[in-house]
Amino acid sequence: MERTYIDEAGARLGETVTLAGWVSRTRDLKNIRFVVLRDMTGEIQVVVKQGQPDLFGLSLGREDVISVTGHAVESKVANAGLEFVAESIEIINRSEQPLPVDILENVKSDLETRLNWRFLDFRAPTTNAIFRVQNRLLTAFRDWLSGRGYMEFQPPCVIGSASEGGADLFAIPYFEKMAYLAQSPQLYKQMCAMSFEKVFTVTPIWRAEKFNTPTHLNEVRQMDIEQAFADDETVMAVLEQLLAHMLTAVKEGCGDQLRLLGRELTVPDLPLRRVTYTEAIELLQGAGEGIVWGDDFTKSQERLLTELVGEEAFFLKDWPGAQKAFYAMPYSRESEKDARYLEETYGSVEMGDKIVRAFDCLYSGIEISSGTQRIHLPELLKERIRYKGLNPENFEYYIGAFRYGAPPHAGWSIGMERLTMTVTGMQNIRECCMFPRDRDRLVP
Ligand code: ATP
Ligand code: MN
């Protein structure tokens, strides 16, 4: 059997071809029977006439896998302007009935049930659309970076010690020792950037955060870059251009999916606004939020801040050192460039003692990415590790990486599921992960 895809049928009007796929639904009238057949390219209405008793009486259930030999004809009534007249139907494999989830989405099954039956849920149009969009985001990410000289690399996922300082790690037995699931590819991307200069990765990471929230998973895919001879602003510029590129790619390549999801995407004008952490605190305080300088923002404060700033996408920069990892580069009063920036932005250089070159990117009211300029100076790293109340001796493996010619470097990380969530307009991140892992879910 040479198989023709449904989206090719229109180009072969009248010709006998064989389609294959799933029975989405059937409708039996007195003299005519309609079978909606679906494959990866779309759906087509198959028509069976009464004069074909074997086909007319054939029992067909939803999601049965069949092949249909026949020919396409133009049709005024069918959606695509096309129908397929069946000459023969072969049942390839039957589906059990009834289906445990409503993939026609007449009555949308609850998320738990859908996740339990994820392989079937993928056939529901909106679920399917989410992962088509995710795939477009991923390919656009890879294409754009590869086209600009960034090299893709694969970090290890099992590591010997904590990269971010210890909390929220999953420990696993590893022969005679304990090992950990990586919380981030941090050290590895830095090590790669110090030789290959511009690198990126798409990699799973694990966070043993005990709470179950609509925006957190315990297993996340991160889309990261790291770049040598770069500061925070260099990689923020990369992030905003790449974000605009990915949104454009989805807008252009996933029109049907966005329509189905009821999501209207606007590609933000660049450059994105830079809001300092200090300004953000003032904005929130002005709106009556009980937040003080030094606090992190809650998810609802991130949403409120987005309203106050009035931009769908913007950067929050110059975070307090205490809120970010020890490897975030502090401002230096000794640097003329830093002093000028601090004067211009804060009216004094003193602020430079409290803030670091770290940023978040907020999109659609939620953090989708964080990044920093990293410390490439071993002595400064030690000082910052001590400042965080940690012992530099435990980080020697990390600090050592910067002793043999480490250029200044910076990078960021986008959460793939977070980004998909904001782009598709979903309220729960689990919708945007094929097989989510959270506090309660390890199956399927
Ligand atoms: P948040 O403050 O939103 O919990 P974070 O600041 O702890 O996230 P980072 O370490 O900055 O996270 O990770 C980079 C990106 O990875 C985040 O901006 C987010 O998009 C994504 N991410 C991090 N942790 C999670 C998680 N538990 N679930 C889903 N996405 C996550
Ligand atoms: Mn973050």
Side-chain angles (χ1 to χ4, degrees):
M1 166 190 93
E2 206 212 308
R3 180 183 173 201
T4 300
Y5 286 98
I6 288 173
D7 68 348
E8 300 164 341
R12 305 180 62 173
L13 280 184
E15 210 180 309
T16 298
V17 295
T18 299
L19 308 179
W22 291 263
V23 174
S24 263
R25 51 195 183 272
T26 55
R27 193 151 59 96
D28 289 317
L29 303 179
K30 210 157 160 246
N31 308 316
I32 196 161
R33 163 177 228 196
F34 297 108
V35 178
V36 176
L37 182 72
R38 185 188 73 246
D39 72 10
M40 63 180 275
T41 68
E43 286 187 343
I44 196 165
Q45 175 158 283
V46 176
V47 188
V48 178
K49 306 234 169 78
Q50 205 178 19
Q52 303 169 284
D54 336 346
L55 304 193
F56 205 75
L58 194 65
S59 122
L60 288 177
R62 286 172 52 191
E63 299 308 303
D64 283 350
V65 179
I66 63 172
S67 70
V68 187
T69 302
H71 59 274
V73 294
E74 281 175 352
S75 155
K76 286 201 189 66
V77 282
N79 276 346
L82 212 64
E83 279 182 333
F84 194 75
V85 179
E87 289 154 25
S88 66
I89 295 180
E90 187 198 337
I91 293 175
I92 296 174
N93 202 358
R94 291 228 182 249
S95 165
E96 287 187 17
Q97 307 290 335
L99 302 178
V101 279
D102 178 24
I103 59 173
L104 290 180
E105 302 184 316
N106 293 328
V107 194
K108 205 161 161 102
S109 307
D110 64 80
L111 184 58
E112 282 302 302
T113 310
R114 289 170 43 220
L115 292 175
N116 288 339
W117 296 95
R118 198 53 151 164
F119 71 93
L120 264 185
D121 182 48
F122 289 152
R123 301 180 199 171
T126 55
T127 307
N128 199 281
I130 291 169
F131 293 106
R132 296 277 172 200
V133 169
Q134 183 167 81
N135 183 251
R136 195 74 202 88
L137 288 168
L138 265 179
T139 50
F141 177 82
R142 286 202 164 100
D143 289 350
W144 194 91
L145 289 168
S146 301
R148 279 160 185 76
Y150 290 77
M151 189 182 90
E152 182 162 4
F153 78 100
Q154 283 73 34
C157 293
V158 176
I159 57 175
S161 54
S163 50
E164 305 263 337
D168 298 333
L169 274 175
F170 284 111
I172 52 168
Y174 194 77
F175 301 108
E176 292 76 31
K177 296 194 284 272
M178 287 309 277
Y180 304 93
L181 295 178
Q183 272 175 314
S184 101
Q186 190 57 36
L187 173 61
Y188 302 96
K189 59 185 186 170
Q190 291 186 259
M191 291 200 285
C192 288
M194 281 186 280
S195 291
F196 300 105
E197 293 202 30
K198 290 157 86 176
V199 295
F200 75 96
T201 185
V202 179
T203 187
I205 57 110
W206 293 265
R207 305 260 167 116
E209 295 155 347
K210 291 205 175 76
F211 42 87
N212 252 334
T213 85
T215 52
H216 290 88
L217 296 166
N218 292 109
E219 182 179 75
V220 178
R221 258 62 32 180
Q222 287 189 331
M223 301 154 77
D224 285 33
I225 73 153
E226 194 70 25
Q227 185 165 333
F229 301 98
D231 65 11
D232 52 343
E233 279 290 342
T234 318
V235 293
M236 285 159 79
V238 175
L239 178 54
E240 63 190 354
Q241 287 169 50
L242 181 46
L243 179 65
H245 172 73
M246 289 191 284
L247 294 177
T248 306
V250 170
K251 223 180 138 136
E252 286 172 359
C254 297
D256 291 347
Q257 285 79 8
L258 291 175
R259 226 165 295 126
L260 201 63
L261 295 165
R263 179 84 166 115
E264 186 116 19
L265 273 191
T266 41
V267 179
D269 290 330
L270 301 187
L272 298 183
R273 203 162 130 195
R274 272 74 170 150
V275 178
T276 64
Y277 169 88
T278 305
E279 273 179 80
I281 292 290
E282 284 163 7
L283 279 170
L284 286 170
Q285 285 172 341
E289 284 292 306
I291 191 170
V292 294
W293 201 97
D295 289 351
D296 198 356
F297 306 107
T298 64
K299 290 291 166 217
S300 73
Q301 285 168 339
E302 283 178 0
R303 270 188 289 275
L304 175 60
L305 188 59
T306 299
E307 274 176 43
L308 296 169
V309 171
E311 306 274 354
E312 192 172 30
F314 61 96
F315 284 113
L316 262 177
K317 65 177 286 192
D318 293 354
W319 282 72
Q323 279 298 338
K324 292 290 176 181
F326 64 81
Y327 51 73
M329 181 64 98
Y331 281 90
S332 158
R333 287 202 206 189
E334 277 85 72
S335 144
E336 220 176 279
K337 187 178 134 224
D338 284 12
R340 200 174 333 112
Y341 172 79
L342 293 165
E343 275 292 347
E344 275 169 16
T345 313
Y346 300 100
S348 88
V349 292
E350 249 105 89
M351 195 65 178
D353 299 342
K354 296 203 278 181
I355 56 175
V356 291
R357 290 181 174 277
F359 59 88
D360 280 5
C361 180
L362 271 76
Y363 176 62
S364 249
I366 184 169
E367 173 191 327
I368 55 158
S369 177
S370 287
T372 49
Q373 178 176 343
R374 330 294 193 187
I375 298 175
H376 61 290
L377 308 168
E379 286 314 308
L380 182 55
L381 254 180
K382 281 193 195 166
E383 189 187 314
R384 299 299 291 186
I385 289 169
R386 275 192 294 266
Y387 163 83
K388 285 268 176 187
L390 301 166
N391 181 357
E393 278 168 33
N394 298 337
F395 291 85
E396 201 30 59
Y397 72 96
Y398 180 82
I399 301 166
F402 307 102
R403 295 194 200 282
Y404 302 90
H409 58 286
W412 46 250
S413 171
I414 301 176
M416 182 184 80
E417 295 85 358
R418 278 276 175 89
L419 177 65
T420 312
M421 184 181 170
T422 52
V423 171
T424 57
M426 290 294 121
Q427 298 303 316
N428 191 322
I429 196 166
R430 289 157 188 76
E431 298 270 7
C432 302
C433 179
M434 286 193 158
F435 305 103
R437 294 287 172 259
D438 63 25
R439 184 89 198 258
D440 305 315
R441 183 175 290 279
L442 274 171
V443 209

